[in-house]
Amino acid sequence: AQTVTQSQPEMSVQEAETVTLSCTYDTSESDYYLFWYKQPPSRQMILVIRQEAYKQQNATENRFSVNFQKAAKSFSLKISDSQLGDAAMYFCAYRRIGNTGNQFYFGTGTSLTVIP
Amino acid sequence: KAGVTQTPRYLIKTRGQQVTLSCSPISGHRSVSWYQQTPGQGLQFLFEYFSETQRNKGNFPGRFSGRQFSNSRSEMNVSTLELGDSALYLCASRKGEGETQYFGPGTRLLVL
C-alpha cells in the first residue's frame, strides 16, 4: 500500500527566509504523480506544485521548488523568500498513474508559521 | 472559470440522521472525488466518480455512498450518522487522467 510520511508536524520560518518541508513516500510503482497542496485557515486546498515521477527535472513554480529523489522516495518542498501568506498547513500527496481511479494518498501535513 | 463549489458549507446533524452533500465541479471536469478530513485521521479518500461511474472507493463503511449526475455534479450521502463522522468533507474535480485535481472549499459537518 502507498503511504506518505511528513515527519515535521510544525515548522516556522522568518519572513523572507527559505524553508524546506520534508516528505517521503512508499510505493512499488515506477510511475506516479507527487503533489504539494497548501491549506490555509480558510480550509481551501490549493495546489502548490506537482511532479511527474518520470521527469528527472525538479518542478518549480515561482518561489516554490521541489527536490525529488526517486531512488530515496523523497519529495521535499522548498519555499524561498517566505511571505506571510505562505502560512498554512502543507500536505504532500501521491497518486498512481493509470486507469485505476484518482485515489490520492496524503501525508499528515506540516503546519508552517511565518514569523514577521 | 468558476472553481469547485460545495453546498452546504456548514451542517449540524444529530446521530442517526442522514445527510447529503453536494459538489459542482469546474466546468468541463468529468471526475469528482470526495475526501474526509479529520484531525485524527487526516485526509482520507472516500470515492471517485468519472462520467457517472464510481471508479475507486476508499476504506469506508457502506453508510457512505455517492453518485454523479450527467452534468458531472456529484452528491455524497452518509446514512445513520455517527459522532465520528464529524469532519470536513472535501470534493475535488479534474478534467481527466493526468490532469490536476482542484479542491472545493469543503463542507464542515458536525454530528451531535
Side-chain angles (χ1 to χ4, degrees):
Chain A
Q2 289 80 11
T3 59
V4 178
T5 302
Q6 293 178 250
S7 58
Q8 307 152 315
E10 297 178 347
M11 292 280 286
S12 62
V13 62
Q14 206 77 32
E15 193 175 5
E17 296 294 309
T18 296
V19 65
T20 298
L21 308 185
S22 301
C23 173
T24 58
Y25 57 94
D26 183 30
T27 184
S28 58
E29 301 291 325
S30 60
D31 214 2
Y32 45 86
Y33 299 107
L34 294 166
F35 304 82
W36 278 98
Y37 278 91
K38 165 185 175 181
Q39 188 177 40
S42 67
R43 310 303 285 176
Q44 178 93 42
M45 292 277 279
I46 302 164
L47 176 68
V48 175
I49 201 165
R50 133 184 180 154
Q51 173 86 41
E52 288 87 351
Y54 64 85
K55 290 184 178 178
Q56 298 201 358
Q57 187 173 7
N58 289 325
T60 299
E61 286 288 342
N62 301 313
R63 298 181 295 105
F64 299 87
S65 62
V66 297
N67 183 6
F68 173 46
Q69 303 287 328
K70 191 172 184 179
K73 297 180 183 175
S74 169
F75 183 60
S76 60
L77 174 70
K78 185 171 84 170
I79 306 173
S80 304
D81 185 26
S82 297
Q83 300 174 0
L84 296 178
D86 295 334
M89 183 73 83
Y90 286 80
F91 292 94
C92 177
Y94 164 101
R95 183 170 81 81
R96 289 178 63 182
I97 287 179
N99 193 26
T100 55
N102 188 40
Q103 183 160 358
F104 272 57
Y105 297 88
F106 285 88
T108 51
T110 296
S111 178
L112 179 66
T113 300
V114 181
I115 303 165
Chain B
K1 186 182 276 190
V4 180
T5 59
Q6 293 186 244
T7 56
R9 293 293 310 279
Y10 303 93
L11 205 49
I12 300 175
K13 292 285 188 179
T14 56
R15 279 183 301 173
Q17 288 188 308
Q18 68 113 26
V19 67
T20 299
L21 312 182
S22 180
C23 171
S24 293
I26 293 171
S27 178
H29 287 199
R30 298 165 63 191
S31 164
V32 174
S33 296
W34 289 90
Y35 296 83
Q36 182 195 65
Q37 187 177 23
T38 59
Q41 299 296 320
L43 272 156
Q44 292 185 288
F45 172 79
L46 279 156
F47 30 64
E48 182 204 10
Y49 286 87
F50 188 90
S51 295
E52 302 179 65
T53 301
Q54 187 180 90
R55 290 185 67 183
N56 205 358
K57 190 177 193 301
N59 189 26
F60 278 82
R63 299 185 297 107
F64 292 81
S65 63
R67 59 177 175 169
Q68 187 180 33
F69 302 96
S70 57
N71 62 358
S72 292
R73 190 178 69 84
S74 177
E75 288 182 346
M76 189 192 91
N77 186 76
V78 187
S79 62
T80 320
L81 283 165
E82 301 178 359
L83 296 179
D85 297 333
S86 295
L88 179 69
Y89 289 89
L90 293 166
C91 163
S93 77
R94 63 184 173 120
K95 187 178 286 187
E97 183 60 40
E99 299 289 332
T100 294
Q101 178 170 248
Y102 296 91
F103 283 83
T107 294
R108 183 165 293 282
L109 171 66
L110 177 62
V111 182
L112 302 176

